[in-house]
Amino acid sequence: MRRFARVALLCLGCAVCSLLYGLSQLALSLEQEPGGGGRQRQARDPATPGARRQAGSAGRGEAGTERYDYMKTHPSEKMHLAVVACGERLEETATMLRSAIIFSIKPLHFHIFAEDQLHESFKDILDEFPYEGKVNYTLYPITFPSESAAEWKKLFKPCASQRLFLPLILKNVDSLLYVDTDILFLRPVDDIWSFLGKFNSTQIAAMAPEHEEPRIGWYNRFARHPYYGVTGINSGVMLMNMTRIRRKYFKNDMTPVRLQWGEILMPLLKKYKLNITWGDQDLLNIMFFHNPESLYVFPCQWNYRPDHCIYGSNCKAAEEEGIFILHGNRGVYHDDKQPTFRAVYEAIKNYSFGDDLVHSLLQPLEWELQKTTHTYCGRVYKIFIKQLTKSIRDLHARRSKGR
């Protein structure tokens, strides 16, 4: 009888242990389901605070300055935009970011690489923007590989070659739109971001041609190095699938062995540094000359520069559909050489979020543009507001539908 009681107690104990083990496994499985695994995925998402602190301190070991508005969106719905700002580019960069915010639909994450002394000023400006829950940002120091930092810093303009290292610094960002500080968006960032879906299986980046007209092209007349296509490419607006960039092995003219992005940059600089004029843009031209299958080329209205109108209008796509992205290179936003470009810049810089876009932006801009018809670019001033008018109309339609 005593032996039977012991057996019964032993069986009962085993049953209790089995029940407890089953409950623990059930709890574990629930934590790993989509509803319970958010923290794990957030920790790997570069847009979450912890991951951004790590990314923002690249090369410095310090936390990046940041503001983060929590959004109930999937990370894949977020568009990542990067810019590099040095010297007196604070106001120009802020105006570019302002133009990106005005029309964009999906959430934006700004990756701002700037000299340390500019960080507080950027933070003050960005924290005043009325994000409406759709924008966050991270500030980063300027960072080059330690063993060759001096060479990269003096290449072309201070900090310009930072863009070459974005795939290596932003390791957790899958895709990225890089733009120069002198860019203005006249339609939603979403529209150029959509080109990522048009890439074929070999394409890793998208840029516009440097020129439309070979007779005035710089690369085909003066370059002393290989360049992409007929007239080269301009890197002021560069859309990148950075996952593909990091994985690709690039053909080159230095070795029969293909090299990855992080391996090819310094050898290219050493070989061509005496032959390049436009710094990092020239290196990109050399790279895509040897790997043309890797580049998606988008039309000139996505990177419209003074060269497209000062020698006569030579961007046919812009004549038909208007300018989508304005690129005020050569400092034309800040002098009187190209008043058409300056008028657009001043209009966006002075626009106050929340004001009526027609009366506070579009109409005053059109009046200013009409004063520029004595210039070649001014003669085609209507292409500067054609897409802008449509973007404002579309924005009003989206807001009316959302009410």
Side-chain angles (χ1 to χ4, degrees):
M1 186 70 180
R2 197 175 294 169
R3 183 178 300 172
F4 176 78
R6 287 197 191 114
V7 172
L9 285 171
L10 181 61
C11 292
L12 180 61
C14 290
V16 171
C17 290
S18 297
L19 179 62
L20 291 174
Y21 176 78
L23 289 172
S24 68
Q25 291 301 302
L26 177 61
L28 182 61
S29 66
L30 288 174
E31 286 180 5
Q32 292 173 341
E33 287 178 1
R39 286 185 189 172
Q40 269 191 328
R41 288 198 304 278
Q42 251 186 354
R44 292 192 297 266
D45 180 4
T48 58
R52 281 173 31 248
R53 279 196 294 272
Q54 185 179 10
S57 59
R60 291 298 183 94
E62 299 172 355
T65 306
E66 64 218 19
R67 166 180 172 145
Y68 187 77
D69 293 320
Y70 288 94
M71 296 170 290
K72 295 179 180 178
T73 56
H74 191 278
S76 64
E77 296 175 353
K78 195 179 301 177
M79 300 178 294
H80 292 264
L81 187 150
V83 64
V84 179
C86 288
E88 300 177 354
R89 297 297 182 113
L90 177 68
E91 178 195 87
E92 191 174 85
T93 306
T95 304
M96 179 276 291
L97 298 174
R98 177 186 293 270
S99 73
I101 292 172
I102 292 174
F103 299 114
S104 294
I105 303 167
K106 292 194 291 288
L108 285 161
H109 187 129
F110 296 140
H111 300 269
I112 303 168
F113 291 79
E115 293 170 306
D116 293 347
Q117 65 267 26
L118 296 178
H119 281 215
E120 280 304 314
S121 298
F122 267 117
K123 188 175 185 299
D124 291 342
I125 292 171
L126 290 162
D127 286 348
E128 289 298 315
F129 282 176
Y131 291 149
E132 300 177 356
K134 73 173 185 178
V135 176
N136 56 58
Y137 69 83
T138 310
L139 286 167
Y140 304 81
I142 299 297
T143 307
F144 294 108
S146 56
E147 68 277 5
S148 54
E151 281 198 79
W152 289 113
K153 284 179 182 177
K154 67 183 181 183
L155 183 64
F156 188 47
K157 293 180 181 178
C159 307
S161 56
Q162 178 74 82
R163 81 183 88 180
L164 294 176
F165 299 95
L166 298 181
L168 307 177
I169 297 171
L170 303 177
K171 294 179 180 179
N172 293 319
V173 176
D174 175 69
S175 296
L176 183 77
L177 175 64
Y178 165 85
V179 295
D180 286 347
T181 59
D182 50 11
I183 291 296
L184 293 172
F185 293 94
L186 304 184
R187 68 182 294 172
V189 176
D190 308 63
D191 295 331
I192 189 168
W193 189 260
S194 69
F195 281 125
L196 288 166
K198 298 181 180 180
F199 284 12
N200 65 27
S201 61
T202 66
Q203 290 166 336
I204 65 173
M207 283 178 266
E210 174 69 12
H211 289 282
E212 299 300 305
E213 174 51 66
R215 287 177 297 177
I216 60 173
W218 192 92
Y219 282 108
N220 56 289
R221 292 188 297 157
F222 305 116
R224 296 180 295 157
H225 59 78
Y227 55 89
Y228 178 88
V230 178
T231 60
I233 47 175
N234 184 281
S235 60
V237 180
M238 182 165 57
L239 184 65
M240 297 179 279
N241 183 319
M242 301 217 294
T243 299
R244 290 186 178 184
I245 288 175
R246 287 185 287 262
R247 291 175 179 170
K248 183 174 176 61
Y249 287 83
F250 293 85
K251 299 187 292 287
N252 61 87
D253 59 358
M254 300 170 292
T255 169
V257 177
R258 298 190 182 200
L259 301 174
Q260 288 190 288
W261 189 269
E263 301 169 327
I264 201 171
L265 296 175
M266 195 61 206
L268 274 180
L269 178 60
K270 286 182 177 179
K271 178 171 182 175
Y272 288 104
K273 64 181 177 181
L274 298 179
N275 294 330
I276 59 178
T277 302
W278 308 112
D280 51 298
Q281 177 173 289
D282 291 346
L283 295 181
L284 289 167
N285 266 280
I286 296 167
M287 198 176 297
F288 285 108
F289 169 83
H290 292 291
N291 300 269
E293 75 287 348
S294 298
L295 188 68
Y296 180 99
V297 180
F298 48 70
C300 50
Q301 76 264 46
W302 294 98
N303 188 349
Y304 191 94
R305 285 159 278 123
D307 285 350
H308 287 120
C309 54
I310 60 176
Y311 305 113
S313 183
N314 58 62
C315 178
K316 299 301 181 184
E319 293 175 19
E320 295 171 3
E321 301 176 282
I323 297 167
F324 299 165
I325 295 178
L326 193 68
H327 187 175
N329 62 339
R330 302 180 183 174
V332 294
Y333 293 150
H334 312 293
D335 58 33
D336 296 321
K337 293 179 181 178
Q338 298 301 330
T340 315
F341 281 76
R342 182 167 186 171
V344 180
Y345 175 80
E346 293 291 332
I348 293 176
K349 184 188 76 172
N350 296 326
Y351 170 74
S352 296
F353 285 110
D355 287 353
D356 181 80
L357 283 162
V358 173
H359 297 99
S360 298
L361 175 61
L362 184 60
Q363 288 180 350
L365 173 58
E366 187 167 9
W367 294 333
E368 289 300 316
L369 290 175
Q370 288 173 359
K371 300 175 185 177
T372 70
T373 54
H374 61 285
T375 67
Y376 281 115
C377 294
R379 292 175 188 173
V380 293
Y381 80 86
K382 290 186 178 180
I383 70 173
F384 285 76
I385 56 172
K386 190 171 187 177
Q387 176 58 46
L388 186 63
T389 303
K390 182 178 184 303
S391 295
I392 292 172
R393 185 171 64 244
D394 291 347
L395 179 60
H396 285 163
R398 289 199 304 272
R399 287 177 175 172
S400 298
K401 192 178 295 184
R403 286 175 186 156

